[in-house]
Amino acid sequence: MASVGLLYVGAVLILNGLMLLGFVDARAAAPLNFFVGGLQVITPTYLIFTADGDANTILAASGLYLFGFTYLYVGFNLLAGLDGTGLGWFSAFVAGCALVYAGLNFGRLDDAAFGVIWLYWAVLWALFFVVLGLKREEWTRFTGLVAVVAGVFSGAVPAFMLLTEVWDDYLTESAIVLAIVFLASLALAPRLRGPQAPAAEPAPELREGAAPPSHRADVPTARPGTTTTGERR
């Protein structure tokens, strides 16, 4: 069940990354954030209620709420023109939790591939904190790229591998490939840092709470993702 949600987490991360890069209008991205955010709240609630007290199931489901609340928060910010500071500081909390989940996957859950994925999510949500919580807008384009990479390689690809039941056959190989891809994307930071082009300038509704201009196709807000700790989605 959670693997289905992971697939759509990949979709929303790609969309939000493209928004940060200036290719998607902010208000146009809001509906998918609501759809996926709602899914990532309903799914863990169902898993917990049907876990019959199993600690590992509850632990795995708990991570989903972090991302479900993030996406819902993003949707409200985009439609209501709220300042992004609150979302930024919540993203710092998510980043810290992601580090714990990464450690649990490397150790208790014996899933190095998802351990690598959780580390990348920790980096992504830390970037959301930098852009929104600390107002360091020069990191916006780089954060958008990391979100797109996360959508493909931490969302869509693992989801299809889980749905086709081949994930467990390639845990070691997946961990190595994912680590290489993620490190390569992070190496682009120096090239993508700096002021955005005019078409991708951060939308004022995410900085000062101004009313969102409907004609713009630029917006940097944190949106991110995703899934349960080490759970076979």
Side-chain angles (χ1 to χ4, degrees):
M1 182 176 183
S3 56
V4 175
L6 182 60
L7 178 63
Y8 295 100
V9 158
V12 77
L13 282 174
I14 293 170
L15 182 67
N16 288 334
L18 292 174
M19 176 174 58
L20 289 168
L21 289 168
F23 295 110
V24 176
D25 179 79
R27 291 169 65 86
L32 186 60
N33 279 278
F34 281 118
F35 297 152
V36 179
L39 178 65
Q40 295 300 92
V41 169
I42 293 172
T43 298
T45 301
Y46 171 81
L47 293 173
I48 289 172
F49 272 97
T50 59
D52 196 26
D54 182 82
N56 282 335
T57 300
I58 295 172
L59 172 64
S62 64
L64 287 170
Y65 286 113
L66 294 171
F67 305 112
F69 292 154
T70 297
Y71 299 136
L72 292 175
Y73 208 149
V74 167
F76 281 116
N77 271 17
L78 295 178
L79 291 185
L82 302 178
D83 175 77
T85 308
L87 177 59
W89 282 94
F90 175 67
S91 296
F93 174 78
V94 175
C97 291
L99 290 176
V100 176
Y101 284 122
L104 290 169
N105 275 274
F106 281 120
R108 176 173 174 174
L109 300 173
D110 195 26
D111 190 338
F114 260 101
V116 172
I117 287 174
W118 274 100
L119 285 177
Y120 198 63
W121 286 336
V123 171
L124 177 56
W125 262 256
L127 287 170
F128 290 145
F129 165 66
V130 170
V131 172
L132 296 173
L134 301 182
K135 306 293 187 182
R136 297 293 300 273
E137 294 175 0
E138 68 269 22
W139 288 91
T140 300
R141 287 189 299 160
F142 176 62
T143 304
L145 170 70
V146 173
V148 171
V149 173
V152 175
F153 293 99
S154 74
V157 172
F160 277 118
M161 292 180 69
L162 288 163
L163 290 169
T164 55
E165 300 183 334
V166 299
W167 178 259
D168 289 338
D169 298 332
Y170 300 99
L171 286 181
T172 301
E173 295 88 343
S174 296
I176 294 172
V177 171
L178 289 171
I180 293 172
V181 171
F182 293 156
L183 288 173
S185 70
L186 296 178
L188 294 174
R191 293 178 175 271
L192 291 178
R193 276 193 60 193
Q196 289 183 311
E201 181 184 352
E205 64 268 26
L206 296 175
R207 301 197 308 265
E208 307 296 341
S214 60
H215 66 283
R216 300 179 57 147
D218 48 9
V219 135
T221 55
R223 359 266 180 264
T226 123
T227 133
T228 122
T229 84
E231 176 184 0
R232 298 296 186 271
R233 305 174 188 49

